[in-house]
Amino acid sequence: MINKRIKIETEDLGEETVAEVVATITDPRKMIGPEVLFSENAARDEAAKLEERKGNIEFHVIGNSLTQKVSKQTMLWLIGLQNVFSHQLPRMPKDYITRLVFDPKHCTLALIKENRPIGGICFRMFAAQGFTEIVFCAVTSNEQVKGYGTHMMNHLKDYHVKNNVLHFLTFADEFAIGYFKKQGFSKDIQLSRSVYQGYIKDYEGATLMGCELNPNIVYTEFTAVIRRQKEIIKKLIERKQSEIRKVHPGLTCFRDGVREIPIESIPGIREAGWKGPATPSRSSRSPTHEQQQDPECLHSMLKTLLCNVGQESCCCLAVSSSCRPK
Ligand code: ACO
């Protein structure tokens, strides 16, 4: 994934160069002062991921069933999760939590430590509607703010990408809005109301928040991939800088009152690899400059626009098809 992305963005880079840079940043012996495990800039989920790799914590999607045998282990974990939710969400009636956690239509992503659930996200997937409702989300008090909540949500996202359900909706408690925002949720819901109205439960005093998933992202790896990409770009810039020997004197024109200059006139900029702005592709949907200048074309375009915003009286057929934006 990293190699591919670099190739797209810097077409002139050889694969060998990229491989060399990747090898450099991967090999701590080649790095001066390799990044300590948890630097101050380490992502919130870093420690939780390490714990998972070591086998200290596990994530399982579990649920009750009326048609299949449910293992004793699953039942014990569901009881444990019901307790975690009841303690962390004191305003929710306990029997209501029990009902949903044990409802076969609901599932729970369970965070297990030493065979005991220490956190979880109870959800209901509406596959046909393309969204999942997050019903309860909690981590037990003494395990909070260790990155478990973030890593748990990332696992839930990966699980949904695999199941091709790409929207989350939740009614977030006032104090949890900050957490959900940090997990990519927003009050600006991307789904049309008709998709979810009547399906999800409304909670008084809570705020409806949504999160759209990108199927190209492995969320549990997201922060690590971004960090690695940044490292690669930094190394490539360092390499490029070491190749350019000539140091140009600074620009003096601004001191003389010039307000702006074309980028290409900056001495050395082309040698440094600058290629100028990308020319818009032919398939671009925007009208050309000539089209914008032609009053007849402009008239046609505005007419089309009016039609599109629902002006019944406007006769779309009269619009010249040759100038209509494609
Ligand atoms: N308000 C604002 N920010 C928060 C909150 C909060 N209540 N809780 C955590 N955060 C922040 C953390 O500081 C952290 O930020 P940072 O990355 O900038 O440092 C980030 O959110 C994630 O922290 P994690 O350690 O990954 O999350 P944690 O393991 O603490 O779990 C959770 C978060 C689940 C909200 C936990 O605090 C909890 O169980 N709270 C009580 C129950 C609750 O309020 N649940 C949500 C109710 S709404 C619902 O269930 C639909």
Side-chain angles (χ1 to χ4, degrees), residues 24-44:
T24 311
I25 61 172
T26 315
D27 182 356
R29 286 168 306 171
K30 291 191 181 171
M31 297 286 281
I32 303 161
E35 199 179 69
V36 284
L37 203 51
F38 301 124
S39 71
E40 57 186 74
N41 296 323
R44 163 59 75 194

Side-chain angles (χ1 to χ4, degrees), residues 44 88-89 134-140 143-152 170-173 175-176 178-180 182-183:
R44 163 59 75 194
Q88 296 307 317
L89 304 165
I134 291 178
V135 186
F136 310 124
C137 168
V139 170
T140 197
E143 301 283 6
Q144 286 177 11
V145 203
K146 292 181 181 176
Y148 290 147
T150 301
H151 197 38
M152 211 163 67
T170 193
F171 273 97
D173 284 355
F175 299 116
Y179 161 76
F180 280 108
K182 284 178 181 173
Q183 310 311 315

Side-chain angles (χ1 to χ4, degrees), residues 92 96 133 171 193 197-208:
M92 286 280 169
Y96 176 71
E133 176 189 10
F171 273 97
R193 188 185 285 266
Q197 203 164 31
Y199 287 88
I200 64 171
K201 298 165 281 293
D202 202 336
Y203 294 92
E204 210 177 295
T207 306
L208 182 63

Side-chain angles (χ1 to χ4, degrees), residues 152-210:
M152 211 163 67
M153 188 61 79
N154 286 339
H155 268 290
L156 193 71
K157 288 177 179 174
D158 286 348
Y159 176 83
H160 279 76
V161 167
K162 276 189 204 128
N163 285 282
N164 201 27
V165 172
L166 303 178
H167 287 271
F168 283 168
L169 288 176
T170 193
F171 273 97
D173 284 355
E174 194 192 339
F175 299 116
I177 291 177
Y179 161 76
F180 280 108
K181 273 192 182 160
K182 284 178 181 173
Q183 310 311 315
F185 285 68
S186 140
K187 293 176 192 174
D188 184 14
I189 309 296
Q190 297 300 312
L191 278 173
S192 118
R193 188 185 285 266
S194 60
V195 172
Y196 60 84
Q197 203 164 31
Y199 287 88
I200 64 171
K201 298 165 281 293
D202 202 336
Y203 294 92
E204 210 177 295
T207 306
L208 182 63
M209 298 184 83

